[in-house]
Amino acid sequence: MTKAKQNIEPPFNQEFCTQLEYEICHNLEKSDDPKLKGFWCDGVSWFPADNQLTKKHVNDKRKIETKAWLGKTGQTEYKATVHFGKKALSRYAKGLALTECIPSLESKVEWIEIDIENSTVEIRLN
C-alpha cells in the first residue's frame, strides 16, 4: 500500500462525529424518557482505541467502540459503541461519508440506548 493510500481519512472522522453529536442532542431534546430530561451530548470521539478504524475491523466487528460525553452538563464520559447497519458497512467499505447513515428523528427508530447507571451508550447506524 502506498503512503498516499494510508493517509486517506476514514469515514469515521471528525465531520461524522460532529454530525452524530448534533443528532444525539436533537434526539435527547425530543425524548419522552424522564431520566434523560435535560441531557445533551458534548461530543463523540473520532479517536477510538486500538486499530478500529480499518475497513477489516469494521467489516469483521460491525462496530467501533469510542467515547461520548453526555449528561445534564454534557461532561460525563460514556463508553460509546457505534453499531454499523448494512448501509453504514457498505459506505465504510467504499470510504464514503457515514452522515447519511444516522437515522433521522422522523424515522421513529430507537437508534440510541443510554444506560445512565453504567455510563454506556449504544448507537445504531442504518
Side-chain angles (χ1 to χ4, degrees):
M1 186 179 294
T2 67
K3 278 193 181 258
K5 290 254 186 216
Q6 291 173 341
N7 291 331
I8 294 174
E9 185 175 47
F12 192 91
N13 55 29
Q14 183 177 5
E15 181 183 341
F16 168 71
C17 288
T18 299
Q19 185 64 36
L20 186 58
E21 169 192 346
Y22 173 81
E23 295 297 338
I24 290 170
C25 282
H26 192 61
N27 195 282
L28 287 169
E29 185 181 313
K30 303 290 184 196
S31 176
D32 295 329
D33 188 338
K35 290 185 281 185
L36 300 177
K37 189 85 171 149
F39 262 55
W40 63 288
C41 179
D42 192 28
V44 177
S45 174
W46 57 92
F47 294 115
D50 304 321
N51 206 12
Q52 296 183 65
L53 297 180
T54 66
K55 289 179 183 179
K56 178 169 178 26
H57 174 87
V58 171
N59 185 59
D60 291 352
K61 302 294 184 183
R62 301 189 180 315
K63 66 182 179 183
I64 289 176
E65 294 176 345
T66 190
K67 297 176 192 172
W69 291 270
L70 301 164
K72 293 191 186 258
T73 65
Q75 299 302 306
T76 304
E77 188 176 296
Y78 278 67
K79 177 184 174 189
T81 305
V82 180
H83 299 273
F84 286 70
K86 288 181 182 178
K87 182 177 182 179
L89 283 170
S90 174
R91 291 186 66 81
Y92 201 92
K94 295 172 184 170
L96 301 173
L98 295 174
T99 52
E100 69 180 53
C101 300
I102 301 170
S104 69
L105 192 59
E106 294 75 34
S107 70
K108 304 292 184 203
V109 173
E110 293 294 325
W111 62 278
I112 304 170
E113 292 177 37
I114 299 173
D115 182 339
I116 298 169
E117 289 77 30
N118 294 309
S119 297
T120 61
V121 59
E122 302 281 330
I123 301 162
R124 297 185 190 331
L125 302 177
N126 289 329

